[in-house]
Amino acid sequence: MLKLFRTTFAILFAMLFSVSAWASSGSSDPKTVIETTVNQIIEVLEARQDTTKLTSKDRDAIRQSVEGRFDYAAMARRSLGNPWKELDGMQQTHFTSVFRELLERSYGNRLSEYKGQKVVFADAELKSDKARVESTVIDGTRETPVEYRLHQTETGWQVYDIRIEGTSMVRTFYQDFKSTLVNGGYEHLLKTLEDKVTKLKEKDND
């Protein structure tokens, strides 16, 4: 699923948003917030004794670090599309929870692939309550452009999409989910995602 994002997004996913960084930065621009936090999370990754995997402690630390810094509800809504409008509040909350776990398990855990890649950020581009931060992930001779889309919320700037080499993560999810919805509807999609999350959890516990 979403093979395009499995390497670059995995490296970046849980390196983005530390609660302490956001709290201390106050009204800092999105570039400053992201850049500071990336450096903090990289320190965590580099401090691992076994750099081939993430332990349960690592995953817990990453989850705490990203808490409140991704707008998972906005990402889930945009990824699901029109069926989102047909869900009641509890269903939307549940789908968002499953969507988040899918991201954390299928991408966040792949942070074990981090091997010292460098991330360089350009200045943030602001427009009203939206922001765009372009960056480059440098891995040896390979350079991958990554763009973060953020919007201002009551709790600060939050990411609602990431574009890797021009391809939207949310749009890719949308296209992937759409094919499943066509074949079996919302309940089928939800069960497919829940089953995938369960398998990923079992794999983490091996």
Side-chain angles (χ1 to χ4, degrees), residues 20-116:
S20 60
W22 280 74
S24 64
S25 62
S27 60
S28 294
D29 66 277
K31 177 194 174 183
T32 300
V33 173
I34 293 176
E35 189 172 23
T36 299
T37 307
V38 165
N39 291 333
Q40 290 180 341
I41 304 302
I42 285 177
E43 290 179 3
V44 174
L45 295 173
E46 292 182 339
R48 293 173 297 161
Q49 293 184 345
D50 185 348
T51 58
T52 66
K53 65 180 182 180
L54 291 177
T55 64
S56 296
K57 182 178 179 180
D58 295 329
R59 288 193 293 271
D60 289 342
I62 290 169
R63 186 179 179 91
Q64 292 176 13
S65 295
V66 303
E67 185 66 39
R69 306 312 143 197
F70 270 27
D71 192 340
Y72 290 105
M75 296 169 75
R77 172 175 56 80
R78 290 165 180 262
S79 297
L80 183 58
N82 287 332
W84 176 269
K85 301 175 184 178
E86 301 172 4
L87 306 180
D88 61 32
M90 292 184 62
Q91 289 175 314
Q92 291 176 351
T93 298
H94 180 61
F95 182 79
T96 299
S97 176
V98 174
F99 180 84
R100 174 175 179 163
E101 281 207 280
L102 177 65
L103 287 180
E104 291 177 341
R105 294 288 173 173
S106 62
Y107 296 123
N109 290 351
R110 293 177 67 91
L111 280 167
S112 59
E113 297 176 4
Y114 173 77
K115 303 296 180 184

Side-chain angles (χ1 to χ4, degrees), residues 175-189:
Q175 293 172 338
D176 188 67
F177 290 174
K178 184 177 180 180
S179 64
T180 305
L181 287 166
V182 169
N183 291 329
Y186 172 74
E187 293 299 331
H188 175 58
L189 171 63

